[in-house]
Amino acid sequence: YKRQTMDRILLTLDGSRRSESTIPPAAALCRAFGSELVLLRALRVDESRPLECRIAAAEARAYLKRLERRADLDGLSIRHAVTVGDPLHETLRLARKLNADLIVVHCACRSPAHCRLDGHVYSIASGVSSSLLIVRNGNGVPAAVEDSPPDPAAHTSPWPRRILVPVDGSPRGDWAACMASRIAESSGSEIVLAHVVSAPDLLSPHRHPEGAALLSSLVDHTVRLARVHLDGMRDRLSGGQWSIRTRVSVARNGPRALDEIAREEDADLTALSAHGWFPEVDWLHGSVTEALMTHGSNSLLVFQDWPMDAHRGEAAEALRSRPDRLTELVFPPGQSSKALQSRTTDRLPRWRRR
């Protein structure tokens, strides 16, 4: 179930400069994965007035045609879709109909301290089981200027310049790192592999000094293991025109520490898997991913491999009884990350075979 490609990327535009700021990141991912880009324009018009609908649809198609002439979209496979209805509902409907692998959305940020998901973005994130790119102002993405004239030939600098990849040692985390290396290979980005060791809470540490010493020893041991794992990932992913660095830190709040690392490293993008070792099958995203989506200040790319369907009970029982059924990533010797292969250690339910 670990896919190394994204066949179709969906981007919804509302005609504003703010929504158009998501085009460069979407184009960068299309080039990295060889994806088709679907541009959606959902119209809020009264369907009981057919003449107005036809005029609005013609204007929307002309608008998408103008965008297609942008320099950063040159050479990409692009499809247009103009529909009538609520943009949220139309985005979810078209994503399911086209089986979109990734949905690109915009999240306006007044400042790093005021960068929260709005209801529209959160509804999309929780409404489909596709991968998700949340583009926030800054992070190498130009902020939208609503009163500036549109420039179809606009060309921006390569995006992203630096990618932060949180790695937790799970197969899903390693898979996300491999997917991020595809982006780095295409754009020449630098990758920062990061792991945050969160020390467990100890009840009344001042009353139990022996427990505090044991806890400190455990944290030190975990830090050493994390460095070994990240160094191994760096060696396996190296070999291209991109550079890879590693960071290991200790913090009580893992998501906040990752967001601070992204700011310190001046990362344009944080890329991670939707789940880690043991996914909660009733949730589309794990706790760390959910926290970064809701409270993070960096643009976020979430790789999702967990389908939203009625067979969650079967999957839950399989994962609880046999955690080793998770996909095991294999790095063939002498091959780049683009040639990465995947295999499963056990038979998976039919709905998981993609």
Side-chain angles (χ1 to χ4, degrees):
Y1 69 101
K2 297 285 193 255
R3 302 188 62 183
Q4 300 301 319
T5 60
M6 290 186 179
D7 298 329
R8 192 167 292 110
I9 295 177
L10 175 62
L11 172 58
T12 302
L13 299 165
D14 59 11
S16 67
R17 298 284 285 159
R18 179 176 293 109
S19 68
E20 291 176 16
S21 67
T22 61
I23 293 178
L29 296 185
C30 286
R31 297 186 190 282
F33 297 103
S35 312
E36 176 188 44
L37 179 62
V38 181
L39 301 177
L40 170 63
R41 181 76 168 91
L43 305 174
R44 293 180 180 270
V45 293
D46 188 354
E47 294 186 72
S48 64
R49 299 181 177 180
L51 180 59
E52 292 185 8
C53 286
R54 287 197 294 269
I55 294 176
E59 292 176 345
R61 283 191 289 269
Y63 166 72
L64 296 180
K65 280 289 186 182
R66 288 196 302 272
L67 289 182
E68 193 174 349
R69 296 198 298 270
R70 289 174 56 112
D72 47 11
L73 295 181
D74 184 45
L76 296 181
S77 174
I78 301 176
R79 185 195 306 190
H80 301 159
V82 177
T83 63
V84 176
D86 178 72
L88 171 60
H89 296 160
E90 291 302 305
T91 299
L92 296 177
R93 182 187 65 80
L94 193 62
R96 296 188 183 103
K97 179 181 179 181
L98 299 179
N99 193 24
D101 297 296
L102 175 73
I103 300 177
V104 182
V105 295
H106 180 270
C107 180
C109 299
R110 290 178 293 173
S111 68
H114 298 85
C115 199
R116 305 291 184 263
L117 287 188
D118 55 29
H120 177 85
V121 176
Y122 191 82
S123 297
I124 292 178
S126 59
V128 292
S129 57
S130 304
S131 297
L132 185 70
L133 172 62
I134 301 175
V135 180
R136 293 182 166 106
N137 289 343
N139 313 130
V141 180
V145 181
E146 293 299 335
D147 56 356
S148 62
D151 183 9
H155 180 74
T156 58
S157 57
W159 184 95
R161 294 173 295 104
R162 186 171 295 109
I163 307 173
L164 175 67
V165 183
V167 177
D168 62 356
S170 68
R172 283 185 171 89
D174 294 351
W175 166 63
C178 296
M179 295 291 277
S181 71
R182 294 284 301 275
I183 304 173
E185 185 175 16
S186 172
S187 60
S189 313
E190 180 184 33
I191 293 179
V192 179
L193 301 175
H195 180 79
V196 176
V197 179
S198 299
D201 294 328
L202 183 64
L203 183 63
S204 303
H206 60 283
R207 296 182 180 179
H208 306 283
E210 69 282 358
L214 179 62
L215 186 61
S216 177
S217 176
L218 176 62
V219 169
D220 292 341
H221 181 68
T222 306
V223 168
R224 288 193 296 270
L225 293 179
R227 286 174 177 162
V228 170
H229 182 78
L230 293 187
D231 289 344
M233 284 293 299
R234 179 189 58 200
D235 295 340
R236 291 191 290 265
L237 293 175
S238 297
Q241 300 299 319
W242 62 95
S243 62
I244 302 177
R245 293 188 291 110
T246 63
R247 282 193 59 167
V248 178
S249 63
V250 180
R252 298 190 64 83
N253 189 318
R256 175 173 294 180
L258 289 171
D259 198 52
E260 291 175 354
I261 292 175
R263 288 198 293 268
E264 292 172 4
E265 295 287 349
D266 193 24
D268 305 319
L269 178 68
T270 299
L272 75 169
S273 59
H275 297 97
W277 273 108
F278 303 104
E280 292 291 341
V281 293
D282 294 329
W283 297 355
L284 276 176
H285 306 97
S287 58
V288 174
T289 303
E290 185 83 15
L292 290 174
M293 289 172 57
T294 307
H295 302 289
S297 59
N298 200 32
S299 293
L300 192 68
L301 175 56
V302 180
F303 294 111
Q304 177 66 264
D305 70 312
W306 197 253
M308 180 190 293
D309 55 29
H311 297 281
R312 288 180 174 178
E314 178 187 356
E317 183 60 31
L319 286 175
R320 291 190 185 102
S321 61
R322 287 287 305 281
D324 60 342
R325 289 190 179 190
L326 294 172
T327 294
E328 183 178 88
L329 298 179
V330 179
F331 297 82
Q335 297 187 20
S336 66
S337 60
K338 191 171 183 179
L340 187 69
Q341 300 175 352
S342 61
R343 63 180 175 86
T344 52
T345 57
D346 201 349
R347 183 177 180 181
L348 295 173
R350 180 173 299 174
W351 62 272
R352 297 267 311 268
R353 303 175 203 156
R354 299 180 62 178

